[in-house]
Amino acid sequence: MVQSFLPFVYKETRLNIESSVPGSTVIIRLPPHSSATWSSRAAQKRPLPIEIPLTEDENAFKQKYLASAASIYHRRYHKSPRSFLWRVLEDNKVLAIRVADLYKQDSTDKAPDYYLMLRLYFPDPIRPACIALSDSPDHDVVSAFILTEKNHLYTITLRPEFFLKRSSTVDNSADWCKVFMARAFGLHHPYKLFALNSHELMVSLHNGDLLKLDRQPGDHGSAWDEACYNEGGWRGLRSLIPFQGNSTVRYGKINLEMSAVTSIATPSKMIDGIPYIFTVSLDHRLRIWNLDSRKIVYNGDLLREDRSINETAQYVVHPSQSQLVKVYEADHEKVLVVTFSPTGVGKFKFWFVTQGVDDNLELEDVFPFQNLEPPAPTTEIWTLTDFCLGVQRTDPSQLSLWVLWKNNLTYRLHRVQFQTGRPNDFHEVWTGGWVAVAGETLNDIPLPSFLPTLTGDCTEKGLEHVFYPGRFDTATIETALSLYERGTGRPKSSSLRSNNLAERMCSLVSCMTSLGHTSGSGLDYEQFHSAVDAQWRRFCRLVAELNKQRGEALSLSYDSDNGIPWVVRADGVSAVRSCSRIERFWHNANSEDLLAEHTNDVATLISAASVFRDSFSESLLHACTTLLRAEISKDGSAIDSNRIRSIYDDCNFVGHITDDDYDQLYQNLGGSLKDLLRDSAYDSLLSSMTSQEVLDDRLERLPLAELGRRTIINGIQESVELLRAICFDQLVLLIFIEGEIDQDEEGLRLDTVGYYKQFLAVYKRIELLSWLCRTQISIDVSRSERSNSGQENSISLKERAQYTKSVTVLEGCAAHLFGFVPHSRVPMTTLLTNILVGVCTPAGEYVLEPVLIQCWLLKHGRADLAGELSMYCDQNPFSIYVEGRVCLAAKELAAAATCFKKAASGLAQLGPQIDHDRHSASLLDDTEWNLLYAGLPRYYSHVVSLYDAYKYHSFVIEFARLALQFTHTSNSIDTANLQTDLQNRLFNAAIQTSLFDVAYSTISSFTDSVLQLSALRILVLHMCENSAASQLLDFPFLGLQGTVDDVLAQKCRGLVDVNIGVPYHKILYAWRVKRNDFRGAAMVCVDRLQKLQISGGADPALSRGEYAGQDALETPITNQYLALINALSCVDPKQAWILSESAYENFLDAGNRGVGVKSKVVTIQDARRGYQNELDRIAAIDSGQFDFAAIDEMDIL
């Protein structure tokens, strides 16, 4: 049965399952069934954390990453973790298991994130349909049962810590992995495995028998009790005698009897205290077994139809079918059984099963005389591969049937909702109540066209398309790149593997093109760009084709607790949510009969605007995109008709829109502009884009798990792309109406400017979200994630500090805002959509302030990304301040200073502050917040500290001066402390920039004497060391001259060799002479003269002939004598003496240099006599009258 049209009411969100945390895969190689092997490998250790090797061809890619079977198991008794995704890989030799929870069960920060994925390697291939998981009611464990082709039954006990800590599975595999070999498998071939519970298994055998395996409580799976069931009753081991029926079906390597069981289901509770199982066999029959009596209590056709012997042969179930019967609780007295017959197009049957007489069961057809054939998606050949039934908690009679259709790699998911208590309405619901799930369109977005005038445009767009978060996983891109490289014919370079993936892509794409010449011998850049674009499109098609194989649906899983279906794909999963209002308009645009009358105009408006935009040339589209992006950064209140017409002219609509384009738009709008372009249509469209259901804030919201975060982020990505396209279409249509159409002539009464403003506000929000969704950032892996992924024991401390994971900016800064309210009045499918709509709505529940996101990016050291958000920020004082922080981090110092000054009037206002206004993503701490809104001095002191942290001393001086201008208005202790801090920062900055006049003026204003003396010493020494002694002498140092003198004198006393380093003696001499302290200057000369004589003066130089050709009498010692004589000459002759402690008996006598320290009065006559003696000594040396036996001793010959 084909329904004319299935409306799209639900939406699919595809998710990649690769973990965002590096090194999260746990490789475990299980031993074969051998006691010797177990004992020899009891101390088996797994290798350190590794990633799965990348593949280089399509076959290896399928083997490593595409599952042959997969499903999600939802636990019944325990909730954390609750859902497990298992997949069979690598020729059925690998079982990969990971947690697939949407949210955490603990609302506190202590709730762990289960990041680890177990990758179990079996020694033998796993049998098809021989994997089962079961939850234990007594222990917080999940038992996984796996049957291999060598008939070894593995029982793996999975504990929650296995997915948290790598160490929990090291050296103990014998404790949680047990192997058993059933005796029955020695004679009969196992066909399929089913888990009744954690202690009971049922294995269907090839001859139609059932083998029941039981283990005792406390046993981990090393021993099982065997019991064989068949239609003749229980016969123990005698039933194991081989039996060959008349007709068999070949499946794999075995021949299956027609009575072989292909599907088994069991109710979650007993029926009247008796356990039953429901089976479907290849002969198209439903059998119900009493497990206590080991007898069949019901045996009938799957559809309860009577057929002749010839017809029976046509109703044979294919052995690969396994989802043919499912059992659900209807009420306390009966269960609901759903059976599906896969013959033909397929038919369903619904049965109520109750306890009858003589231990038999009674089956009641819930919808008798009804042909329950589900409608196929199209007239093509489709196969219904899986189904599930959702039972409403509050009303068990309310049912939702989900069916999964497949056509090669394509699949469709349909749903019908009905009530068991209303059989009269069932036919109408079944034939016309089916709805469909709209597929994801994010991966179908083609590579955008490029403009030849934009350099690097095609490469940039190609990289953005391939690396768009969540579109393709790394393994797919790497494999496609290997295939592309092989197609180029160039030899493969092993060194390229170590390079960045994006760099390798660009290198390979560029090597396929060359820059040619035009006819005029110029370089043909346009042809080169076209060739590069063609190569990028070729590579992107290769990635897309490879990615399609990952989308094959393998099973359908229904989360009954949350009421949400999951499609498990070959390399991923898909969550199903409700369509938002705007998504219903978009996906059901061609079903006018299914839309309400007042919404037909909205669908027509969306469709017409989309077709109109599709008619744009690339240049017009680029011009509109550029101008609208510029619009969102401008003041929206200043928008008027002239501004819209200016955009119309700048885009040159007149030169691009032809009469045919206008006629087509006119026809798509229904042939009458005034009937469609009216306020009611636009009001409905805007309402559908922004409406949401807000939950009670008092309800506890549970934080998202990794898969939940990925579901929300991917859903937002697709919603953003849709809303972005719709907003853009409506904006360009409004611009065209304003610039082209005379509303009075057409009879229009449309507020073009008003709706333009509203759509522009939505477009601004969507553009922000688009940037957040496509921009990725590397953030540090949290400590808990490092422990989860096993890095604590496997990498060094240095490596651990550098370990990061890549997430979108939206996930990094806003994922903590999202949460689920389980078991609320809103279904989970609707709750998911509400979150998406709330994020996309400008005035929605989730506040995403661009300025706070800038703060978050600055906190993570990404000032470059924070700068890209500036166009979305408001021009309030705090936003301007943060923009200054962005410029400061980007080393745009002048721009930062301008922003800080501009924000000063707002952030320096005095007034009480509310705690919840202090939001800055931890960029500002409480101390910094206390400096804002506390007056200009404190605000500027905060700015000073920012520049000081970056060591930008010139701006520290600028803002410290600004701050100090306003500190004189208060005499409080806090103000005094602030003033002291500012002066100290100002002084240090002046010292670092050698602005000694600023440093001097700052010292003069110090009120703290201790700090003043310390700063003075720093200033004096710094000026001396930077050749600024002349400037030092010019400073008056009122009241501080003695201190300056003491500092210089102390440095002079500490010198040993005065011939090198800073000439502190000369500086002190000049300082004292400048201040008429000639006797003090003479004392400096005596001290320097003494140290020159100790060091040998000019004797070594004279001996080496360094004074040849110049005045040999002019040496450092003679010059120092002259300085001493000049200083004493400036004093009254009666005062021309000084008292000096000499290291010689007579240091002024060059011929007598005995050692000893004694005080001596030195007069000007002594200085002149010493000067003369030094001249004589030099002359003697020059004439060769001295023998240089040693530098420090001279004897006259």
Side-chain angles (χ1 to χ4, degrees):
M1 178 183 68
V2 178
Q3 189 173 322
S4 59
F5 180 82
L6 271 66
F8 292 102
V9 179
Y10 293 91
K11 182 72 176 175
E12 173 195 30
T13 300
R14 294 193 175 189
L15 311 174
N16 292 327
I17 57 177
E18 62 176 351
S19 177
S20 59
V21 179
S24 58
T25 301
V26 181
I27 305 296
I28 303 177
R29 299 189 181 276
L30 300 179
H33 178 49
S34 171
S35 57
T37 306
W38 275 104
S39 60
S40 65
R41 299 186 59 171
Q44 166 188 337
K45 292 185 178 180
R46 291 189 319 279
L48 296 177
I50 60 173
E51 296 296 331
I52 302 173
L54 298 175
T55 56
E56 298 184 357
D57 59 73
E58 190 172 356
N59 292 330
F61 174 77
K62 292 179 180 179
Q63 183 185 37
K64 289 285 185 181
Y65 299 102
L66 303 188
S68 58
S71 184
I72 297 179
Y73 172 73
H74 305 283
R75 300 172 74 181
R76 181 185 303 175
Y77 302 107
H78 301 277
K79 302 299 182 183
S80 181
R82 181 175 168 271
S83 301
F84 294 84
L85 169 66
W86 60 265
R87 305 166 64 234
V88 180
L89 302 160
E90 298 191 27
D91 294 333
N92 297 336
K93 286 189 175 182
V94 173
L95 177 63
I97 305 176
R98 63 157 296 166
V99 174
D101 288 345
L102 274 176
Y103 55 87
K104 304 175 184 179
Q105 296 295 332
D106 189 354
S107 59
T108 65
D109 295 335
K110 298 180 180 180
D113 236 335
Y114 299 93
Y115 281 93
L116 292 183
M117 179 176 68
L118 305 183
R119 197 173 177 95
L120 308 175
Y121 283 77
F122 288 82
D124 306 306
I126 301 171
R127 284 185 176 273
C130 285
I131 296 177
L133 276 69
S134 182
D135 191 16
S136 172
D138 302 322
H139 305 283
D140 189 10
V141 297
V142 172
S143 298
F145 309 102
I146 302 96
L147 189 62
T148 66
E149 290 187 355
K150 288 191 176 181
N151 299 333
H152 295 152
L153 176 63
Y154 283 78
T155 302
I156 299 176
T157 304
L158 301 173
R159 302 182 179 91
E161 58 267 23
F162 287 7
F163 303 93
L164 279 174
K165 300 178 181 178
R166 181 181 297 269
S167 59
S168 62
T169 55
V170 174
D171 300 339
N172 60 354
S173 57
D175 297 333
W176 48 266
C177 179
K178 303 294 183 180
V179 187
F180 173 75
M181 180 73 171
R183 291 171 295 174
F185 297 157
L187 297 174
H188 295 302
H189 300 290
Y191 171 33
K192 291 186 178 180
L193 172 69
F194 306 91
L196 306 182
N197 51 57
S198 60
H199 294 281
E200 295 179 316
L201 301 180
M202 193 67 71
V203 181
S204 65
L205 304 177
H206 79 286
N207 63 344
D209 291 353
L210 293 174
L211 177 66
K212 186 172 182 291
L213 301 176
D214 295 89
R215 62 171 174 166
Q216 297 300 322
D219 186 85
H220 296 295
S222 58
W224 294 81
D225 296 331
E226 303 177 36
C228 194
Y229 292 70
N230 56 36
E231 294 192 37
W234 178 76
R235 297 175 294 170
L237 294 179
R238 298 180 61 183
S239 64
L240 301 180
I241 300 175
F243 173 79
Q244 188 73 5
N246 293 327
S247 103
T248 59
V249 177
R250 187 69 177 177
Y251 182 61
K253 298 179 181 180
I254 60 177
N255 293 320
L256 299 175
E257 298 287 338
M258 298 305 298
S259 59
V261 174
T262 187
S263 182
I264 294 180
T266 180
S268 58
K269 66 176 184 178
M270 296 184 182
I271 303 176
D272 199 19
I274 301 175
Y276 293 93
I277 63 170
F278 298 75
T279 68
V280 175
S281 52
L282 300 181
D283 55 7
H284 200 266
R285 299 191 69 80
L286 171 67
R287 295 175 176 85
I288 305 177
W289 297 76
N290 184 324
L291 295 182
D292 286 344
S293 64
R294 302 181 176 92
K295 295 181 180 179
I296 296 177
V297 296
Y298 176 84
N299 186 351
D301 183 73
L302 198 57
L303 299 176
R304 193 176 273 183
E305 295 179 356
D306 296 329
R307 299 184 181 88
S308 64
I309 297 178
N310 295 331
E311 292 177 332
T312 303
Q314 300 176 4
Y315 285 82
V316 176
V317 178
H318 193 274
S320 63
Q321 294 280 352
S322 59
Q323 303 296 328
L324 303 180
V325 58
K326 296 186 180 182
V327 184
Y328 304 90
E329 293 186 19
D331 53 37
H332 298 290
E333 298 179 354
K334 56 187 176 182
V335 297
L336 175 65
V337 178
V338 184
T339 61
F340 174 71
S341 171
T343 58
V345 295
K347 290 183 181 180
F348 282 97
K349 270 292 184 180
F350 297 86
W351 317 83
F352 279 139
V353 179
T354 58
Q355 185 69 42
V357 296
D358 299 331
D359 293 335
N360 290 325
L361 295 180
E362 295 183 357
L363 273 68
E364 174 190 355
D365 192 345
V366 181
F367 305 108
F369 313 112
Q370 297 283 353
N371 182 20
L372 304 186
E373 293 182 0
T378 63
T379 56
E380 298 176 352
I381 299 177
W382 291 84
T383 303
L384 197 153
T385 59
D386 205 348
F387 72 92
C388 60
L389 191 70
V391 182
Q392 188 172 329
R393 289 172 174 266
T394 57
D395 184 8
S397 65
Q398 193 75 260
L399 305 177
S400 296
L401 177 64
W402 298 84
V403 297
L404 179 65
W405 295 91
K406 282 186 64 175
N407 181 0
N408 294 325
L409 297 179
T410 307
Y411 67 88
R412 296 287 185 270
L413 186 62
H414 295 170
R415 190 223 67 177
V416 64
Q417 191 171 2
F418 54 89
Q419 283 185 298
T420 57
R422 303 180 63 179
N424 296 332
D425 301 333
F426 179 77
H427 178 74
E428 181 180 355
V429 173
W430 186 268
T431 56
W434 287 89
V435 296
V437 177
E440 187 185 60
T441 58
L442 198 61
N443 289 338
D444 299 333
I445 298 177
L447 181 66
S449 301
F450 84 103
L451 292 178
T453 56
L454 299 180
T455 304
D457 181 58
C458 52
T459 299
E460 181 181 354
K461 289 181 177 180
L463 290 174
E464 288 181 357
H465 180 81
V466 173
F467 288 104
Y468 187 88
R471 177 170 290 162
F472 309 117
D473 66 343
T474 305
T476 304
I477 300 174
E478 286 281 7
T479 306
L481 189 60
S482 297
L483 295 175
Y484 180 84
E485 183 178 11
R486 183 182 303 175
T488 61
R490 58 178 290 178
K492 188 172 183 61
S493 175
S494 59
S495 62
L496 287 178
R497 277 296 179 187
S498 60
N499 296 338
N500 181 271
L501 177 58
E503 293 178 357
R504 285 189 283 127
M505 289 172 55
C506 295
S507 175
L508 285 175
V509 170
S510 61
C511 78
M512 295 297 295
T513 57
S514 59
L515 183 60
H517 294 79
T518 62
S519 57
S521 299
L523 296 177
D524 194 350
Y525 291 104
E526 184 174 349
Q527 184 276 335
F528 175 75
H529 291 156
S530 299
V532 172
D533 180 71
Q535 290 300 322
W536 273 110
R537 293 186 181 279
R538 175 189 170 192
F539 176 73
C540 290
R541 284 194 299 268
L542 183 60
V543 178
E545 289 299 323
L546 199 62
N547 189 65
K548 285 182 180 179
Q549 302 179 31
R550 302 174 58 235
E552 180 183 2
L554 299 181
S555 66
L556 177 64
S557 177
Y558 187 79
D559 186 354
S560 58
D561 281 7
N562 295 315
I564 178 172
W566 291 86
V567 178
V568 183
R569 299 178 286 109
D571 190 22
V573 295
S574 294
V576 177
R577 59 175 178 83
S578 301
C579 282
S580 63
R581 289 182 59 189
I582 193 65
E583 286 173 333
R584 290 198 183 191
F585 287 136
W586 181 266
H587 293 293
N588 300 299
N590 297 325
S591 58
E592 298 182 0
D593 56 323
L594 298 176
L595 297 174
E597 181 179 356
H598 67 281
T599 60
N600 283 339
D601 293 345
V602 176
T604 304
L605 188 60
I606 293 175
S607 177
S610 177
V611 174
F612 180 62
R613 185 248 306 154
D614 289 338
S615 66
F616 286 8
S617 63
E618 290 297 331
S619 58
L620 176 59
L621 188 62
H622 176 74
C624 292
T625 303
T626 303
L627 291 177
L628 285 179
R629 282 184 58 83
E631 278 288 285
I632 62 180
S633 61
K634 298 179 181 178
D635 183 11
S637 61
I639 296 176
D640 55 11
S641 179
N642 293 331
R643 184 160 153 185
I644 298 176
R645 289 193 177 97
S646 175
I647 298 176
Y648 175 83
D649 295 334
D650 293 340
C651 292
N652 191 20
F653 274 86
V654 175
H656 289 88
I657 302 300
T658 64
D659 292 341
D660 293 337
D661 296 332
Y662 179 82
D663 294 339
Q664 183 183 21
L665 173 63
Y666 189 84
Q667 294 299 325
N668 291 334
L669 291 174
S672 176
L673 299 182
K674 65 179 182 180
D675 292 338
L676 185 62
L677 298 179
R678 59 181 188 270
D679 292 349
S680 60
Y682 278 99
D683 289 337
S684 298
L685 176 56
L686 285 167
S687 176
S688 65
M689 297 174 66
T690 58
S691 62
Q692 66 166 329
E693 183 176 352
V694 181
L695 295 177
D696 192 344
D697 292 335
R698 296 171 296 179
L699 297 176
E700 182 185 29
R701 301 194 181 191
L702 300 179
L704 302 178
E706 183 188 22
L707 200 64
R709 290 194 298 270
R710 195 166 294 179
T711 302
I712 295 299
I713 298 301
N714 288 20
I716 292 174
Q717 288 176 335
E718 188 165 12
S719 298
V720 162
E721 291 300 321
L722 174 61
L723 293 173
R724 185 185 186 187
I726 293 176
C727 278
F728 183 85
D729 296 346
Q730 297 303 320
L731 285 171
V732 295
L733 179 59
L734 289 170
I735 293 172
F736 181 75
I737 293 173
E738 182 66 24
E740 182 77 17
I741 298 176
D742 188 342
Q743 294 201 30
D744 294 334
E745 181 179 341
E746 296 290 342
L748 296 178
R749 295 293 183 268
L750 182 64
D751 184 10
T752 310
V753 177
Y755 289 116
Y756 180 85
K757 291 181 179 179
Q758 296 183 61
F759 277 108
L760 190 63
V762 179
Y763 188 68
K764 180 177 181 179
R765 172 77 169 197
I766 297 304
E767 280 292 315
L768 169 64
L769 287 172
S770 177
W771 187 90
L772 296 177
C773 288
R774 70 175 182 267
T775 305
Q776 292 183 291
I777 181 174
S778 295
I779 62 176
D780 293 336
V781 176
S782 65
R783 186 175 182 85
S784 60
E785 292 172 353
R786 290 200 302 266
S787 177
N788 293 349
S789 60
Q791 300 172 30
E792 292 293 334
N793 299 325
S794 59
I795 62 176
S796 65
L797 292 175
K798 182 178 180 180
E799 291 173 336
R800 188 180 306 151
Q802 299 175 351
Y803 230 84
T804 59
K805 65 177 181 179
S806 181
V807 298
T808 62
V809 175
L810 180 63
E811 179 180 352
C813 68
H816 66 283
L817 301 176
F818 313 134
F820 291 128
V821 183
H823 313 310
S824 66
R825 59 184 177 87
V826 181
M828 182 63 70
T829 52
T830 304
L831 183 58
L832 282 170
T833 302
N834 282 346
I835 294 177
L836 307 185
V837 176
V839 172
C840 297
T841 302
E845 179 183 1
Y846 302 98
V847 179
L848 295 176
E849 290 289 345
V851 63
L852 298 182
I853 301 174
Q854 282 185 309
C855 293
W856 184 85
L857 291 170
L858 288 174
K859 186 69 176 178
H860 287 80
R862 293 303 303 269
D864 56 330
L865 297 181
E868 297 180 21
L869 283 177
S870 300
M871 62 183 299
Y872 305 104
C873 296
D874 299 327
Q875 292 301 304
N876 56 61
F878 185 71
S879 297
I880 298 174
Y881 160 79
V882 174
E883 180 64 20
R885 294 287 298 266
V886 173
C887 295
L888 181 61
K891 298 183 180 181
E892 299 175 4
L893 307 183
T898 302
C899 292
F900 289 141
K901 293 176 183 178
K902 188 177 179 180
S905 59
L907 293 184
Q909 292 180 355
L910 296 173
Q913 289 302 297
I914 304 175
D915 290 340
H916 67 260
D917 286 337
R918 294 189 170 192
H919 293 316
S920 65
S922 300
L923 181 65
L924 299 175
D925 56 27
D926 290 339
T927 302
E928 292 174 312
W929 273 112
N930 292 334
L931 297 175
L932 303 183
Y933 303 99
L936 285 173
R938 285 175 173 78
Y939 169 74
Y940 281 129
S941 71
H942 169 61
V943 177
V944 168
S945 65
L946 296 179
Y947 277 107
D948 198 16
Y950 286 94
K951 305 301 181 184
Y952 298 142
H953 303 293
S954 60
F955 290 91
V956 171
I957 295 173
E958 178 181 353
F959 283 96
R961 283 178 165 179
L962 285 174
L964 288 171
Q965 290 179 6
F966 301 95
T967 57
H968 304 291
T969 58
S970 175
N971 297 322
S972 63
I973 297 178
D974 291 341
T975 303
N977 294 334
L978 176 63
Q979 183 177 2
T980 300
D981 179 69
L982 288 171
Q983 290 172 342
N984 192 32
R985 291 179 185 271
L986 175 59
F987 171 78
N988 291 329
I991 289 295
Q992 295 297 325
T993 54
S994 297
L995 296 177
F996 300 123
D997 53 343
V998 177
Y1000 170 73
S1001 63
T1002 304
I1003 289 178
S1004 303
S1005 61
F1006 270 126
T1007 57
D1008 190 323
S1009 59
V1010 177
L1011 289 177
Q1012 187 180 49
L1013 294 177
S1014 175
L1016 179 61
R1017 177 180 176 83
I1018 294 174
L1019 174 62
V1020 171
L1021 298 181
H1022 206 79
M1023 294 184 72
C1024 293
E1025 293 169 355
N1026 288 273
S1027 304
S1030 59
Q1031 190 178 4
L1032 174 67
L1033 302 179
D1034 293 336
F1035 290 152
F1037 289 104
L1038 299 178
L1040 298 174
Q1041 295 181 3
T1043 304
V1044 176
D1045 193 284
D1046 292 341
V1047 171
L1048 293 175
Q1050 182 181 7
K1051 293 297 293 184
C1052 290
R1053 288 192 296 270
L1055 290 179
V1056 177
D1057 189 352
V1058 295
N1059 293 305
I1060 59 175
V1062 180
Y1064 282 107
H1065 287 84
K1066 294 183 179 180
I1067 297 173
L1068 181 57
Y1069 176 85
W1071 169 267
R1072 291 179 176 177
V1073 169
K1074 179 83 172 180
R1075 283 153 182 78
N1076 299 322
D1077 183 9
F1078 299 108
R1079 294 183 65 188
M1083 294 181 66
V1084 175
C1085 291
V1086 170
D1087 184 63
R1088 186 170 188 270
L1089 183 61
Q1090 173 187 348
K1091 293 180 178 179
L1092 283 172
Q1093 290 175 340
I1094 292 176
S1095 63
D1099 293 351
L1102 288 171
S1103 65
R1104 294 190 299 267
E1106 294 183 7
Y1107 290 100
Q1110 58 178 320
D1111 190 356
L1113 300 179
E1114 188 176 343
T1115 67
I1117 293 179
T1118 57
N1119 289 337
Q1120 195 62 49
Y1121 270 116
L1122 292 176
L1124 174 61
I1125 294 171
N1126 289 337
L1128 292 177
S1129 300
C1130 295
V1131 184
D1132 185 90
K1134 296 181 179 180
Q1135 303 294 328
W1137 59 271
I1138 59 173
L1139 184 63
S1140 173
E1141 292 184 354
S1142 174
Y1144 306 107
E1145 292 182 1
N1146 186 1
F1147 78 94
L1148 294 176
D1149 186 359
N1152 188 2
R1153 298 188 181 186
V1155 179
V1157 178
K1158 59 188 298 183
S1159 298
K1160 180 181 179 181
V1161 175
V1162 180
T1163 64
I1164 190 172
Q1165 290 79 11
D1166 295 332
R1168 288 170 177 168
R1169 184 172 57 254
Y1171 175 65
Q1172 186 61 48
N1173 292 338
E1174 179 66 18
L1175 293 177
D1176 295 341
R1177 190 177 68 86
I1178 294 174
I1181 294 174
D1182 188 52
S1183 60
Q1185 300 180 22
F1186 283 83
D1187 180 20
F1188 295 95
I1191 295 179
D1192 294 331
E1193 296 182 1
M1194 293 175 288
D1195 299 325
I1196 300 177
L1197 297 177

